[in-house]
């Protein structure tokens, strides 16, 4: 069989990788595509997500196409692995197959730095899928094919951008297992506000556990509740005009609740009306939905705020409605004192 190998760290796998795989099937006419996750990339340096998690996300993609497989050769050989060693092993293990090694433009440019580049091109067909449309020349025997650009990278996704380039199952996996989500939030807030968000998320989780609600939903409400807090004013204004122009008369300080709810849905693709509602109302405390009450209380009672909130936290843990009424009352008095 003719096998195309699409290697990478797949942290996480996204539509760009899948496009490469489909292109290999259609453009090169190979019989199968094997995704080969690396355990560490010699030319990159960010800390990789756990092998089993990256693998689980690849599996979700592989399941949908019988011509897709995953090859764990490089993962099994933990530590740095050079393509040269991998290919040698592949050829030894599967002498009956013919291998096509797929690379992208960036790898073509760096091919000089690869281990034994002259040997490599004799061991397999190297094919570069050119995403820029300007086929680069290489002194090595590497075929180039154009591929429609999929403008996304794993590092953008890890920062919470372009999540619409993830297969739905992968996105669900990421949220279920809380991969990257802290960076989604940290990259948009100050350090202090990020710590507050994490602390509120933990407190929401605690309230949910003790009041018999879904901890996972509560956690995400807490984590994202202030996501729009530092959005530039002009951008915030655009969101307000498109999402809730009827709320423009509220003070600007309140807007981040309305916009945060919309951002959580439209940018982070969390489609859950409970989460939307709770974030929307978190500043004013204007919803009596249990999750909205939890985040309103957790926000005000966050231990990082520097006053002793243990009594009220205790009450919220026993009965969120009772705790909410007290926190609303306390908040009113606080605002009155000015
Ligand atoms: Fe807030
Ligand atoms: Fe907050």
């Amino acid at each position: 069989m003719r096998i195309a190998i699409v290697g990478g760290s797949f942290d996480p796998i996204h539509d760009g990788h899948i496009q490469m795989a489909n292109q290999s099937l259609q453009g090169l006419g190979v019989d199968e595509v094997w995704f080969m996750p690396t355990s560490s990339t010699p030319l990159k340096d960010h800390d990789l997500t756990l092998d089993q998690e990256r693998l689980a996300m690849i599996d979700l993609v592989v399941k949908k196409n019988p011509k897709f497989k995953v090859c764990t050769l490089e993962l099994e050989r933990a530590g740095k692995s050079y393509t040269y060693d991998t290919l040698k092993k592949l050829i030894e293990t599967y002498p009956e197959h013919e291998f096509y090694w797929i690379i992208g433009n960036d790898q073509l440019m760096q091919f000089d730095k690869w281990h034994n580049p002259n040997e490599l091109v004799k061991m397999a067909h190297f094919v570069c899928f050119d995403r820029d449309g300007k086929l680069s020349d290489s002194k090595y025997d590497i075929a180039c094919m154009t591929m429609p650009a999929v403008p996304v990278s794993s590092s953008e996704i890890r920062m919470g951008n372009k999540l619409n380039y993830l297969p739905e199952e992968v996105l669900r996996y990421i949220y279920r297992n809380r991969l990257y989500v802290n960076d989604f939030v940290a990259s948009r807030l100050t350090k202090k506000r990020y710590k507050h968000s994490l602390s509120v998320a933990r407190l929401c989780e605690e309230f949910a556990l003790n009041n018999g609600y879904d901890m996972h939903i509560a956690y995400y409400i807490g984590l994202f509740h202030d996501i729009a807090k530092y959005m530039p004013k002009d951008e915030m204004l655009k969101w307000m005009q498109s999402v809730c122009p009827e709320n423009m008369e509220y003070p600007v300080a309140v807007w981040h609740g309305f916009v945060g709810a919309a951002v959580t849905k439209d940018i982070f693709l969390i489609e859950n009306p409970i989460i939307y509602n709770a974030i929307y109302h978190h500043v004013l405390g204007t919803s009596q939905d249990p999750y909205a009450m939890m985040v309103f209380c957790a926000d005000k009672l966050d231990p990082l705020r520097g006053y002793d909130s243990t009594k009220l936290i205790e009450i919220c843990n026993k009965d969120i409605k009772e705790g909410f009424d007290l926190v609303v009352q306390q908040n009113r008095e606080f605002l009155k004192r000015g």
Side-chain angles (χ1 to χ4, degrees):
M1 281 206 298
R2 287 145 48 102
I3 313 287
I5 303 288
V6 176
S9 45
F10 300 108
D11 193 10
I13 190 167
H14 56 65
D15 287 353
H17 301 122
I18 297 165
Q19 163 105 328
M20 273 190 163
N22 284 328
Q23 190 79 1
S24 304
L25 290 173
Q26 288 148 21
L28 290 174
V30 296
D31 302 292
E32 285 184 355
V33 177
W34 295 1
F35 292 101
M36 171 111 61
T38 50
S39 58
S40 88
T41 316
L43 300 179
K44 288 184 187 170
D45 56 2
H46 85 93
D47 289 337
L48 283 182
T49 301
L50 291 178
D51 290 354
Q52 69 259 32
E53 290 180 318
R54 290 182 293 126
L55 204 51
M57 292 188 277
I58 298 172
D59 274 337
L60 292 170
V61 170
V62 165
K63 258 189 217 152
K64 294 202 298 190
N65 189 330
K67 290 186 171 178
F68 289 173
K69 300 267 153 63
V70 59
C71 176
T72 53
L73 204 82
E74 291 200 347
L75 284 186
E76 283 151 23
R77 217 180 35 221
K80 277 191 181 183
S81 49
Y82 291 106
T83 303
Y84 177 78
D85 301 319
T86 307
L87 253 180
K88 221 166 116 189
K89 183 86 189 168
L90 268 177
I91 293 164
E92 274 168 31
T93 318
Y94 306 100
E96 70 279 21
H97 294 336
E98 194 180 340
F99 290 102
Y100 288 72
W101 196 280
I102 310 301
I103 60 174
N105 301 56
D106 45 339
Q107 290 165 306
L108 183 70
M109 311 287 224
Q110 292 187 43
F111 203 70
D112 260 335
K113 294 185 199 160
W114 287 33
H115 197 57
N116 286 346
N118 289 310
E119 281 302 304
L120 281 175
V121 291
K122 289 182 201 148
M123 296 161 83
H125 308 279
F126 274 73
V127 181
C128 171
F129 282 153
D130 195 302
R131 283 167 287 190
D132 300 340
K134 36 180 184 219
L135 294 174
S136 329
D137 268 340
S138 172
K139 61 181 177 187
Y140 300 99
D141 182 15
I142 298 177
C144 274
M145 290 173 73
T146 38
M147 183 180 89
V150 181
V152 66
S153 67
S154 294
S155 58
E156 288 175 302
I157 290 174
R158 289 196 300 273
M159 289 293 140
N161 297 310
K162 303 187 180 177
L163 299 181
N164 52 323
Y165 287 101
L166 284 172
E168 228 182 281
E169 302 82 357
V170 175
L171 182 66
R172 266 205 301 272
Y173 182 92
I174 287 172
Y175 280 124
R176 206 180 317 123
N177 294 280
R178 299 186 188 175
L179 299 183
Y180 321 118
V181 293
N182 286 4
D183 286 339
F184 291 4
V185 179
S187 62
R188 287 162 172 89
L189 298 179
T190 60
K191 233 184 204 151
K192 192 175 170 200
R193 182 64 52 176
Y194 167 60
K195 280 189 183 160
H196 160 72
S197 300
L198 275 185
S199 177
V200 171
R202 279 189 218 110
L203 200 49
C204 281
E205 212 175 22
E206 186 184 321
F207 292 161
L209 171 71
N210 291 307
N211 285 274
Y213 293 101
D214 188 314
M215 290 167 69
H216 206 57
I217 290 178
Y219 182 84
Y220 277 115
I221 293 169
L223 188 66
F224 283 102
H225 81 284
D226 274 342
I227 194 72
K229 187 89 180 175
Y230 298 105
M231 185 181 274
K233 217 177 158 190
D234 51 338
E235 206 182 318
M236 183 88 100
L237 195 64
K238 276 189 207 146
W239 278 91
M240 282 297 287
Q241 279 159 347
S242 79
V243 176
C244 51
E246 70 280 9
N247 287 353
M248 300 278 278
E249 70 228 39
Y250 281 103
V252 178
V254 173
W255 290 7
H256 76 274
F258 310 134
V259 175
V263 164
T264 304
K265 177 172 160 278
D266 295 347
I267 305 289
F268 297 103
L269 309 182
I270 299 182
E271 299 254 2
N272 182 329
I274 295 174
I275 294 180
Y276 189 98
N277 177 73
I279 296 177
Y280 186 96
H281 291 283
H282 88 269
V283 187
L284 298 170
T286 35
S287 165
Q288 298 225 351
D289 176 84
Y291 292 91
M293 293 197 285
M294 284 187 247
V295 70
F296 181 78
C297 293
D299 192 18
K300 300 286 180 291
L301 304 177
D302 171 15
L304 297 180
R305 287 200 185 268
Y307 71 96
D308 185 9
S309 54
T310 34
K311 272 262 143 52
L312 281 167
I313 289 179
E314 223 172 86
I315 297 170
C316 287
N317 273 326
K318 277 196 196 114
D319 181 352
I320 189 63
K321 176 77 177 80
E322 192 187 333
F324 176 75
D325 290 341
L326 287 169
V327 174
V328 167
Q329 196 185 323
Q330 177 191 278
N331 194 49
R332 233 179 255 141
E333 283 160 18
F334 174 79
L335 291 175
K336 239 190 257 164
R337 282 201 306 273

